[in-house]
Amino acid sequence: MCGITGWIAYDRDLANEQRTLTAMTRTMECRGPDAEGMWLSAHAALGHRRLAVIDIEGGKQPMAVREGDRTLLVTTYSGEVYNYRELRTELEALGHRFRTSSDTEVVLHAYLAWGPAFTERLNGMYAFALWDPRTEELLLVRDRMGIKPLYYHPLPSGVLFGSEPKAILAHPAVEPVVDADGLREVLTLAKTPGHAVYTGMREVRPGHTVRVHRGGLTEQRYWSLEAREHTDDLETTVATVRSLLDDIVTRQLIADVPLCTLLSGGLDSSAITALAAAGLAAAGHGPVRSFSVDFVGQTEHFTADALRSTPDAPYAHALAEHVGADHSDIVLDTAALMDPRNRDAVLHARDLPVGLGDGDTSLYLLFRAIRQRSTVALSGESADEVFGGYPWFHDPKAVNAGTFPWGAALQGFSGTGSGAREALLDPGLLDHLDLAGYRQDRYREALAEVDHLDGADPHEQRMREVCYLHLTRFVQLLLDRKDRMSMATGLEVRVPFCDHRLVQYVYNTPWSMKTFDGREKSLLRAATRDMLPDAVADRVKSPYPATQDPRYARALQHELARVLADPGAPVHALLDADAVRRAAAPGTDPESLRNPAELVLALDSWLRDYQVQIKM
């Protein structure tokens, strides 16, 4: 895993622009702490920060393929292609010769051999740029599920690009401007494909390529979810899911650095940990190393709510003992969660005021602790989207609400971390932004993309739509979060459940089969039950934990009062001052304002640190 950036300009000579390229590249240092590389030519400047995972010595970048003294192709590449060994064998049979053992070089030769169609052969998580000096064209490529980020900013005669917005914002031609739609994206967490919040900036859509040439930019899709008839019976379907998972996890265990799993004790992470333990044992390695996050006193004093009925620790420990894992709990306290240095690190990892508070900060601290012992971690992320695990999948009211189901389901939630996010914002601003209307527009756009089978049962048709919404919208919020928090600490996180073969297969499995035992994630449970303790296999879905320490909400309230008292706080222009005053007043229940306080504090830091101009 790495950080990439670059600048293409057809109207100037970039060979002497090393200072600007260096500034852009250095913003990616957290994503690639091991090495820095740059490649400059007349019209292309490519930067790279490396996190060395495969072929430590040979995989330096940017990497080029040369023929004599002529450069045929050069790349700055981030990610992992898990089938690179098979592709290498196939390319060698075609006469290609390799000088390294890296997957990066395989990607270069794959493009030379098969042209733009090479993307259809890649299995992995990746975001990279290919510069072809022969045609003076750039190709930006992003993986099918959007696991790895890639942003770009068109210029009058070229383009800027980077793994994160900060790389593009480091260029002198770009100012941090946000318009009304950008603010709507932030406040609704819509995660509209392609939208990057900052004016003029775009994100390469999952499963797409962007080609840059002298005539401009063209975008092309190379993969999407397609409706196909599912003909396998239940027994065959369960066996196919298990076979796919065995292959996926085995491929993703390949690394030349220490590897571990993220283990919450839920079905998803437990299945990945058990599969990893089996894969490592089969290869003569092990035991698997696993890590969980917890909060001081939370297991002992846990309070159930509508989303979380049980604490994680007992189940994580049961699974670790069952598979013989070398397990560690990372236990966090409120002081660490509220430490301004940690909260600032989260904001600068995100480049945006997402406002998820301890959900982001605790993940960042977990990854920072893991990075001291491992460089790669396997995660159970995305199983809920693939297999239908969230409670609202099974709530007819949420399913038929006529909007994004998660929004409808969480609207009335009153547990830890509740409270309407925009409750402290200026009513006039909210009226102008019409967030409800924006959500509905994005919802209708997403529904229009869904491919259906002729003659499908209406309920099956609706559940296909619900699954599509989660696999193209909701999962992007979670993948972004996991990428930014992990890469801010130099940790590579792999997500086996996002393998496109598994996603496509399960997507087309009938909903009746996905819930054949009357529960959520029936197929995953059936496919992995033989590897899990019954208590873990039968555990009810519990999301990522949030601290229940009342001191955390009180600390947020104190910070809110501090912002209110600061006449220079830039967020004042966006706030309902009376509502903030009431929220910060003694006697107000701090837990009831937790989400809105998190958003206000994040907005204030973002506006201040990034010098953002909001132009509506």
Side-chain angles (χ1 to χ4, degrees), residues 356-415:
L356 295 186
D358 71 301
D360 275 357
T361 309
S362 64
L363 194 64
Y364 166 78
L365 293 170
L366 169 66
F367 290 153
R368 190 173 72 181
I370 291 174
R371 184 62 176 88
Q372 296 174 13
R373 295 179 58 187
S374 291
T375 307
V376 174
L378 270 63
S379 166
E381 196 77 86
S382 307
D384 288 305
E385 289 77 15
V386 174
F387 290 99
Y390 294 114
W392 49 83
F393 273 99
H394 312 273
D395 177 2
K397 188 176 180 180
V399 166
N400 298 306
T403 186
F404 294 112
W406 52 88
L410 294 174
Q411 191 171 19
F413 174 62
S414 58

Side-chain angles (χ1 to χ4, degrees), residues 31 93 123 193 254 443 477:
R31 299 184 71 92
N123 177 301
I254 297 173
Y443 172 70
L477 295 169

Side-chain angles (χ1 to χ4, degrees), residues 122-349:
L122 304 181
N123 177 301
M125 56 175 190
Y126 46 80
F128 57 88
L130 291 169
W131 171 251
D132 189 335
R134 301 165 299 177
T135 61
E136 294 190 330
E137 291 185 342
L138 179 81
L139 188 69
L140 300 175
V141 183
R142 193 172 182 206
D143 66 68
R144 294 169 178 84
M145 289 295 291
I147 305 167
K148 290 293 104 183
L150 184 55
Y151 295 83
Y152 66 100
H153 189 295
L155 297 173
S157 184
V159 72
L160 303 168
F161 67 88
S163 293
E164 298 176 6
K166 62 173 62 69
I168 296 171
L169 294 172
H171 192 281
V174 180
E175 293 185 343
V177 175
V178 174
D179 61 18
D181 274 353
L183 201 52
R184 292 179 180 115
E185 280 288 313
V186 168
L187 297 178
T188 60
L189 296 177
K191 196 54 187 173
T192 305
H195 205 297
V197 176
Y198 292 100
T199 303
M201 197 181 296
R202 299 283 296 166
E203 188 172 15
V204 179
R205 296 182 59 157
H208 282 66
T209 62
V210 173
R211 184 173 293 277
V212 182
H213 45 84
R214 286 184 177 272
L217 288 78
T218 55
E219 184 179 29
Q220 184 172 355
R221 185 181 68 190
Y222 69 89
W223 186 83
S224 64
L225 288 167
E226 297 177 350
R228 301 171 186 169
E229 186 178 359
H230 186 81
T231 58
D232 292 344
D233 61 17
L234 178 59
E235 183 179 0
T236 303
T237 299
V238 171
T240 301
V241 169
R242 176 56 177 272
S243 176
L244 282 167
L245 287 171
D246 285 337
D247 178 70
I248 292 163
V249 172
T250 298
R251 290 177 183 275
Q252 297 195 20
L253 290 174
I254 297 173
D256 296 332
V257 291
L259 177 143
C260 68
T261 68
L262 308 177
L263 176 60
S264 70
L267 175 61
D268 315 338
S269 64
S270 296
I272 293 300
T273 300
L275 289 163
L280 290 170
H285 305 302
V288 65
R289 183 179 295 167
S290 60
F291 294 90
S292 297
V293 67
D294 202 356
F295 304 98
V296 172
Q298 185 133 317
T299 299
E300 298 83 356
H301 306 291
F302 179 81
T303 301
D305 61 32
L307 289 181
R308 304 172 182 91
S309 60
T310 53
D312 286 346
Y315 296 91
H317 295 167
L319 188 282
E321 182 178 357
H322 186 74
V323 302
D326 174 11
H327 182 74
S328 300
D329 292 322
I330 306 301
V331 183
L332 307 175
D333 60 21
T334 293
L337 294 174
M338 286 303 300
D339 189 322
R341 293 168 298 182
N342 295 331
R343 293 173 69 87
D344 285 348
V346 167
L347 173 67
H348 286 271

Side-chain angles (χ1 to χ4, degrees), residues 40 92 105 125 471 522:
L40 295 99
E92 286 175 333
E105 190 178 14
M125 56 175 190
L471 290 167
S522 306

Side-chain angles (χ1 to χ4, degrees), residues 552-572:
Y552 182 76
R554 289 198 295 267
L556 288 177
Q557 191 176 37
H558 175 77
E559 284 299 299
L560 196 62
R562 179 190 59 77
V563 169
L564 183 64
D566 178 5
V571 76
H572 282 314

Side-chain angles (χ1 to χ4, degrees), residues 580-593:
V580 176
R581 195 172 293 111
R582 289 192 297 270
T588 302
D589 176 16
E591 192 61 48
S592 67
L593 57 86

